[in-house]
Amino acid sequence: MGNSKKTSGACLCGSVTVSMDLEKTTFDVCHCGMCRKWGGGPLFTIDAGKNLTFGGKENITAYSSSDWAERGFCKLCGSHIYYHLKNTDFYNFPLGFLNGTEDFKFHLQIFVDHKPHNYEFANKTETMTEAQVMAKYGPPPS
């Protein structure tokens, strides 16, 4: 398994659980308007690792937030569970949803050109604009 780290998490009511083997111990932040609206501020995320398993899948509702992505939440307590790129195995999970992430390093900020000017992070991180994110992760050109 190399340097992977086993982690798990659960929603507020415990009806949805997740476990996975993380390949890296870093987290990222998204400043896009949709993430800020969804969570009330920038979204702190961790890329899902290998061996991703869900418990209580019947309690997850997914909202199709764009043609290429959906956001999952617990239909009982409303906890945010994931951001998922449709038709792929790419999932991001909110940093606070998972256990044992206190020592993770702040790595990347995306949609930095959408970040409001009323907050700043002191951490020095890599950054990507909306155009850079869409070029790397967005839907294929029509």
Side-chain angles (χ1 to χ4, degrees):
M1 211 182 281
N3 294 333
S4 67
K5 173 185 172 69
K6 186 84 166 161
T7 193
S8 61
C11 63
L12 284 172
C13 71
S15 297
V16 176
T17 60
V18 170
S19 67
M20 68 190 80
D21 297 323
L22 296 175
E23 296 177 340
K24 55 186 182 175
T25 55
T26 60
F27 66 92
D28 304 327
V29 167
C30 182
H31 297 286
C32 81
M34 203 174 303
C35 281
R36 288 185 290 112
K37 184 175 282 279
W38 190 41
L43 182 62
F44 290 71
T45 68
I46 293 178
D47 291 347
K50 294 181 178 183
N51 304 316
L52 174 62
T53 57
F54 289 93
K57 266 185 143 172
E58 68 278 7
N59 296 312
I60 298 174
T61 296
Y63 170 68
S64 184
S65 56
S66 67
D67 290 340
W68 62 88
E70 64 184 7
R71 295 163 190 266
F73 60 94
C74 175
K75 67 181 178 183
L76 301 174
C77 68
S79 293
H80 300 171
I81 304 199
Y82 62 74
Y83 172 87
H84 173 232
L85 292 178
K86 296 175 185 177
N87 303 316
T88 74
D89 60 357
F90 180 86
Y91 284 85
N92 275 141
F93 290 87
L95 178 66
F97 181 81
L98 299 172
N99 302 314
T101 60
E102 296 80 13
D103 295 329
F104 284 25
K105 301 282 188 251
F106 190 1
H107 173 253
L108 172 69
Q109 297 180 64
I110 63 171
F111 285 84
V112 292
D113 50 334
H114 291 258
K115 185 187 82 53
H117 297 286
N118 60 356
Y119 66 82
E120 283 293 327
F121 293 119
N123 308 69
K124 298 295 181 203
T125 67
E126 292 181 31
T127 61
M128 293 175 76
T129 65
E130 176 183 15
Q132 291 169 320
V133 170
M134 295 308 286
K136 186 170 182 177
Y137 302 109
S142 309

